[in-house]
Every structure is written in structure tokens, then in C-alpha cells.
Amino acid sequence: AVELFQAWICEVSVLLRWARETSKGPVVLGGVSLGALPSQRYAVAAKDWPAALQPDGLFLVATSENLTDIAYSGSLVAGVGLTPKLRASGWHEEDLAPILPWLEPRGAPCLPPERIIMVLGDKDTVTPFAGGKSLARRWRVPDQNLFIRHQGHFTLCIGLGHRPEPLHRLDALVTEAIGSEAAS
């Protein structure tokens, strides 16, 4: 997972630069569930990088900042019986501590909180809600960009089609970024 996330960060930096060189629009990174974790890590890693390699926004759905909580307390992992297998293989929560900085979004992101949109389900037990809520607080995601739904993990994405407010907020964020680029 460490190698995968690091490779993802390197590849996305190349793609982000390419997007900036070949288009005039803003670049937003995002992801759902496990797919959101690399975007979060990228946002933290890119904090001291040139602006051309920093995303203009983040769109995160069903996410968490706590990989240990997902791996050892998440209902999907528990439901498939992975937690006892991890422990039987010698992978205990405390053993993961040295690699977690390479996997979790430690530190501040490279972009202001106003450009981060999060959609969380307060019934999510796959990527437990508390970890997503903690990340939103730590990153100071404003209320208008934090969508907490009374849904579980899998219904969050399905629910976006019926209640698209987070997508409308993303559209407004992108439109605002385009407007500020045109003004400068």
C-alpha cells in the first residue's frame, strides 16, 4: 500500500502538470472511500510544491483520516473476516504505526479549506464516520462544503444522484476557480 500510494502521488503530479499545460480549467482531485485516501495524501504532500502541482480543489466521499480504524474496526473488513487474519499474520494495530504517515493524510493540505468538499455518512461503518468527521474538523472544512448524510457507506454515492447538492457545490467551486483565473 505504501508503494502504491507513493506511486500514485508521483503519477498524479505528472498528470496534474499535463492538465495545467494542456487546458485552462481548474484541476480537482477526488475519490470515494479508499480512492479518497491517495487524494488526501497528495494534498498533504503537495503543500510545499510549486502551485502548478497543487490541485485547485478536493472532492472526497465516504472517507476517513484513520486507516487503522478502517482496517481493524471497519465493518467491511470485519465482515469478510480480514481483521483476525491480519492479526494472525502478525499485523497488529501498533505494528502499523511506522507506515501510517505514508498512508494517512497527516498534516495540513496544500489548499485552503474553502476548496475542500466532503460527503460523509453518519451511518458509515466501512470507513467509520468519526474518522471523516475528524479530518473535516482538522482541515477546517467549512459547513457549506461538508455534507453529512444519514446514510451508510455504499448509499452515499448512490444518493448523489438523488440529492446532488455536493455536486452542485463542486460545480460552484470549479466555476469560481475559472472566474478568478480569468480575472487575473
Side-chain angles (χ1 to χ4, degrees):
V2 172
E3 291 174 0
L4 174 67
F5 277 30
Q6 294 310 307
W8 192 91
I9 289 170
C10 293
E11 289 180 19
V12 168
S13 67
V14 171
L15 290 171
L16 205 145
R17 180 181 294 273
W18 172 82
R20 295 227 188 271
E21 290 172 354
T22 60
S23 70
K24 297 193 184 292
V27 179
V28 176
L29 296 181
V32 176
S33 187
L34 182 60
L37 282 171
S39 293
Q40 294 164 192
R41 280 285 304 126
Y42 187 97
V44 171
K47 186 169 176 69
D48 297 320
W49 295 359
L53 295 177
Q54 296 178 353
D56 297 303
L58 285 178
F59 188 77
L60 308 169
V61 180
T63 192
S64 178
E65 69 175 349
N66 189 329
L67 197 60
T68 304
D69 199 26
I70 295 168
Y72 289 95
S73 302
S75 61
L76 181 63
V77 173
V80 298
L82 187 59
T83 304
K85 290 177 184 172
L86 285 170
R87 289 188 176 117
S89 297
W91 285 95
H92 300 278
E93 291 91 331
E94 59 274 5
D95 298 326
L96 292 177
I99 64 169
L100 289 177
W102 297 99
L103 300 172
E104 294 180 337
R106 307 269 175 103
C110 64
L111 63 170
E114 298 78 30
R115 294 194 280 159
I116 301 170
I117 299 170
M118 294 179 74
V119 185
L120 304 172
D122 65 4
K123 298 296 180 194
D124 189 349
T125 59
V126 175
T127 52
F129 172 68
K133 181 83 183 230
S134 177
L135 180 64
R137 277 193 210 118
R138 187 165 57 81
W139 281 3
R140 296 185 168 101
V141 175
D143 289 342
Q144 71 267 21
N145 289 6
L146 179 59
F147 297 86
I148 298 176
R149 302 278 172 87
H150 193 60
Q151 294 175 294
H153 188 79
F154 297 104
T155 57
L156 277 175
C157 284
I158 295 168
L160 287 174
H162 299 288
R163 294 176 54 207
E165 295 87 357
L167 297 172
H168 294 300
R169 183 68 192 121
L170 176 61
D171 181 55
L173 180 98
V174 169
T175 302
E176 180 182 303
I178 291 170
S180 64
E181 284 179 13
S184 57

